[in-house]
Amino acid sequence: MHMPVGTISSSRDTVGVAVVNYRVPVVESKAEVLENCKRIASFIDGAKRGYPGLDLIIFPEYSTQGFHPTRWLELSTTVPGPETDIFAEACRRNKVWGIFSITGELNPKGNPWNSLVMINDRGEIVMNYHKIHPWVPQEPWYPGSEVLVVEGPKGLKVAGTICYDCNQPEIVREAVMKGAELVVRIQGYMHPTSLQQKLISQVRAWENLTYFAVANMAGRDLVYSYFGGSNIVNFDGTVLAECGQTPDEVTYALLSLSAIRDARRNWTAENHLFNITHRGYTAVQDGVAECPYEFYRTWVTDPAKARQMSERLTRSTVQPEEHAAD
């Protein structure tokens, strides 16, 4: 079930996807943010020229505004806004879909959101996902509460996730059970976790029979060094395309619509999506549908008790005790 690699075209059955190892921006003002947006737009122009089959291009978390350690709030913006207007025009003129980062998006409830924005080939915003699991203890973003799945290019069902989100396996399973065939992870991950994050993309793809695409930053900002490694993974967990650590690398792969749909419908062994709710169907008529996991049943019916279960294994304070006085 391996997809062919090495081509720059696409077809009615295949979606051409590119991921960008975007160089981490260091910006000090909104004017500099908009200049960076124009640079991002130029990547869309170049990628479409270089990969004529391109249907969807994906940029990393923090690629628009960076993550300034002291000015992150004043660099926040709206969706739609001047930044997404630049992206929308680039998608429209190149007739491609794009996924972009807004960090942060102004939020009337409190701190800004960390947002993934998907724009179609007509320049319309079709997804604005708010990161559910901000990275602690550094990120100041207000947590989102809903996994989003939309119909993307050529009918491919696409879900958006952001960085630390995917360290929680539940979010990808939720996206796939909502119909996602491609789970996109935009991230701003730094050393020393490069090994773990590469493994996650392959494991999440395999355990959910889903295409998985990661766009990560590369280079150094005022705080961290980012390892790149943007990749595109087949639904069997094999890597279709992968960048190195060099800033601004772009890579490309084809995702077959018929192949993933055939696998989900016809695989028996390793069809994790069917087998999870049809446990033991070789021995039991139709298999067992009930959830066997006490923690998940508790989490839904009694969140406070589920939190206590977690705290028994970890701690009962937000900060470890030795930091409580800091």
Side-chain angles (χ1 to χ4, degrees):
M1 194 62 70
H2 293 278
M3 290 295 298
V5 296
T7 184
I8 59 174
S9 61
S10 65
S11 69
R12 284 181 293 181
D13 182 60
T14 56
V15 178
V17 177
V19 290
V20 184
N21 249 19
Y22 196 71
R23 180 184 299 274
V24 54
V26 179
V27 292
E28 301 286 339
S29 67
K30 287 198 171 186
E32 291 182 4
V33 169
L34 294 181
E35 284 304 308
N36 182 54
C37 291
K38 295 174 184 176
R39 183 174 187 266
I40 290 172
S42 75
F43 273 63
I44 303 174
D45 297 333
K48 184 61 177 178
R49 282 193 294 268
Y51 304 108
L54 179 67
D55 296 302
L56 172 65
I57 187 168
I58 304 165
F59 292 88
E61 180 190 33
Y62 291 115
S63 55
T64 301
Q65 295 137 293
F67 188 21
H68 198 290
T70 60
R71 296 184 177 178
W72 54 269
L73 183 57
E74 65 188 78
L75 296 178
S76 294
T77 187
T78 58
V79 176
E83 295 83 3
T84 58
D85 287 348
I86 294 172
F87 302 150
E89 172 55 30
C91 289
R92 189 163 46 242
R93 69 173 173 260
N94 288 288
K95 296 182 173 57
V96 301
W97 298 57
I99 289 180
F100 308 93
S101 170
I102 296 294
T103 47
E105 179 191 351
L106 292 172
N107 170 20
K109 301 176 183 178
N111 276 24
W113 290 296
N114 183 334
S115 302
L116 176 154
V117 177
M118 184 173 180
I119 298 175
N120 68 17
D121 56 356
R122 297 185 299 277
E124 301 163 337
I125 294 173
V126 295
M127 181 194 298
N128 182 13
Y129 164 74
H130 299 147
K131 188 175 187 178
I132 290 176
H133 296 283
W135 184 56
V136 295
Q138 297 285 46
E139 287 191 325
W141 314 119
Y142 195 97
S145 58
E146 183 182 7
V147 175
L148 301 180
V149 178
V150 302
E151 185 171 301
K154 299 175 181 173
L156 181 73
K157 302 297 192 303
V158 180
T161 67
I162 304 177
C163 204
Y164 189 79
D165 276 339
C166 287
N167 291 338
Q168 309 289 345
E170 293 82 3
I171 194 167
V172 180
R173 181 56 56 86
E174 167 81 357
V176 168
M177 287 301 183
K178 284 186 168 183
E181 297 165 316
L182 167 63
V183 176
V184 171
R185 184 190 197 192
I186 64 171
Q187 65 186 46
Y189 246 119
M190 69 297 290
H191 292 292
T193 59
S194 57
L195 171 63
Q196 292 87 341
Q197 302 316 315
K198 179 179 178 180
L199 291 174
I200 278 179
S201 64
Q202 294 180 260
V203 169
R204 295 289 176 265
W206 167 241
E207 67 191 4
N208 291 287
L209 289 185
T210 187
Y211 292 118
F212 202 87
V214 178
N216 191 33
M217 290 197 299
R220 180 165 180 81
D221 62 9
L222 299 176
V223 180
Y224 290 118
S225 293
Y226 302 85
F227 53 79
S230 301
N231 65 8
I232 303 169
V233 182
N234 199 14
F235 57 83
D236 65 358
T238 57
V239 176
L240 297 173
E242 184 174 25
C243 294
Q245 296 191 12
T246 305
D248 293 341
E249 288 185 54
V250 181
T251 194
Y252 177 84
L254 295 180
L255 310 183
S256 168
L257 297 166
S258 61
I260 189 172
R261 292 169 185 175
D262 177 78
R264 288 181 173 182
R265 180 167 294 275
N266 293 309
W267 280 16
T268 53
E270 316 308 338
N271 193 331
H272 319 301
L273 305 180
F274 183 86
N275 296 342
I276 192 173
T277 57
H278 297 78
R279 294 182 294 113
Y281 68 79
T282 304
V284 178
Q285 178 70 35
D286 294 327
V288 179
E290 287 77 11
C291 175
Y293 304 114
E294 180 180 351
F295 174 72
Y296 290 107
R297 296 196 304 267
T298 301
W299 195 2
V300 170
T301 59
D302 191 345
K305 184 178 179 182
R307 175 178 280 186
Q308 291 172 0
M309 294 171 70
S310 169
E311 290 177 349
R312 281 200 300 269
L313 299 174
T314 56
R315 61 179 185 272
S316 60
T317 58
V318 170
Q319 292 289 345
E321 290 184 7
E322 59 266 30
H323 301 308
D326 293 348

